[in-house]
Amino acid sequence: GQNIDQPTEMTATEGAIVQINCTYQTSGFNGLFWYQQHAGEAPTFLSYNVLDGLEEKGRFSSFLSRSKGYSYLLLKELQMKDSASYLCAVRDNGGATNKLIFGTGTLLAVQP
Amino acid sequence: DVKVTQSSRYLVKRTGEKVFLECVQDMDHENMFWYRQDPGLGLRLIYFSYDVKMKEKGDIPEGYSVSREKKERFSLILESASTNQTSMYLCASIDPSQGGQPQHFGDGTRLSIL
């Protein structure tokens, strides 16, 4: 079956670093996406990994290991505005459909 | 920037009503999607469309139908609304020719069925 696991909640301190993990078991793999979603708002795209390794984008980085079915999102120099849900999503095949399978999201609370 | 517009942010309807949720995108994307998002369950795919008049069922299509008469517009229809369809509904679109491009989401419609 298709399964994506991520922690339900995490708490971190302003200015610190936090790592949000995601493990997946899918019938195929054609890329992994991380989205940020503030309460009551639409998900917004953060990062994309299709090959193994680290992708860095400012304060945010994302890592992928396809052999382990594992990814993480790393947030550095945390700010209060980073309090949000972080969604991990796998595209399980290529072609015309581009369907994504989403995890249930990790709710991150950044404290002063 | 891609703009995905959903017709209503908040909607209240009654049990048994026929409900239409509209979604319009302005980037000529071929693929469009409807999800619902519920606490603890994440985003679940209801239906998607990969071309005009083409549609496929997602993971939870029961109680819903869709319409795609024009490329830019994808409508979700609740044939006879029930209280268990109270949820946040999100529309998304993507250009399938761009491999690393993400799905772009609308702001969502929070639907309450009374």
Side-chain angles (χ1 to χ4, degrees):
Chain A
Q2 316 273 50
N3 195 46
I4 297 179
D5 286 319
Q6 41 181 140
T8 304
E9 296 181 353
M10 297 183 73
T11 302
T13 304
E14 193 174 15
I17 299 173
V18 71
Q19 178 175 312
I20 302 174
N21 296 324
C22 171
T23 57
Y24 63 89
Q25 291 176 305
T26 55
S27 55
F29 180 84
N30 194 32
L32 186 144
F33 295 82
W34 283 96
Y35 284 84
Q36 180 191 60
Q37 186 179 25
H38 285 100
E41 297 183 10
T44 55
F45 169 70
L46 288 178
S47 69
Y48 169 69
N49 296 72
V50 67
L51 300 176
D52 291 350
L54 190 68
E55 295 283 340
E56 296 187 78
K57 264 179 150 182
R59 293 190 299 115
F60 293 3
S61 303
S62 57
F63 172 83
L64 175 67
S65 168
R66 289 172 296 169
S67 63
K68 295 182 179 177
Y70 168 68
S71 173
Y72 68 72
L73 180 69
L74 194 70
L75 291 75
K76 302 176 187 175
E77 301 169 15
L78 279 172
Q79 302 175 9
M80 298 299 290
K81 67 178 183 179
D82 297 329
S83 293
S85 282
Y86 291 85
L87 312 179
C88 173
V90 171
R91 185 167 58 199
D92 69 345
N93 60 8
T97 63
N98 274 279
K99 288 195 296 181
L100 294 179
I101 305 161
F102 282 86
T104 55
T106 298
L107 182 61
L108 174 66
V110 180
Q111 298 179 338
Chain B
D1 267 0
V2 177
K3 183 71 175 173
V4 180
T5 303
Q6 294 183 228
S7 52
S8 305
R9 288 298 302 272
Y10 301 94
L11 205 54
V12 180
K13 296 292 183 180
R14 296 205 172 274
T15 304
E17 280 192 70
K18 190 169 186 176
V19 181
F20 293 84
L21 303 184
E22 305 288 347
C23 175
V24 177
Q25 49 93 4
D26 66 354
M27 286 300 292
D28 205 36
H29 285 172
E30 292 178 359
N31 292 175
M32 296 186 74
F33 306 82
W34 274 107
Y35 297 90
R36 62 177 285 177
Q37 186 175 29
D38 301 288
L41 296 177
L43 272 80
R44 293 179 292 165
L45 182 64
I46 304 171
Y47 266 97
F48 67 99
S49 168
Y50 49 90
D51 205 347
V52 175
K53 296 191 187 293
M54 306 299 283
K55 60 187 179 185
E56 282 198 26
K57 294 178 180 179
D59 300 317
I60 51 164
E62 297 79 18
Y64 303 94
S65 62
V66 290
S67 172
R68 186 128 182 243
E69 295 297 318
K70 293 184 178 181
K71 195 173 187 179
E72 67 270 20
R73 184 180 296 270
F74 191 35
S75 303
L76 180 69
I77 304 156
L78 286 65
E79 297 291 343
S80 177
S82 63
T83 54
N84 64 11
Q85 292 178 309
T86 292
S87 186
M88 169 70 95
Y89 289 87
L90 288 159
C91 174
S93 74
I94 190 171
D95 176 356
S97 68
Q98 306 282 325
Q101 287 299 305
Q103 291 187 11
H104 298 271
F105 285 87
D107 286 337
T109 297
R110 188 165 293 281
L111 175 64
S112 296
I113 307 296
L114 303 179

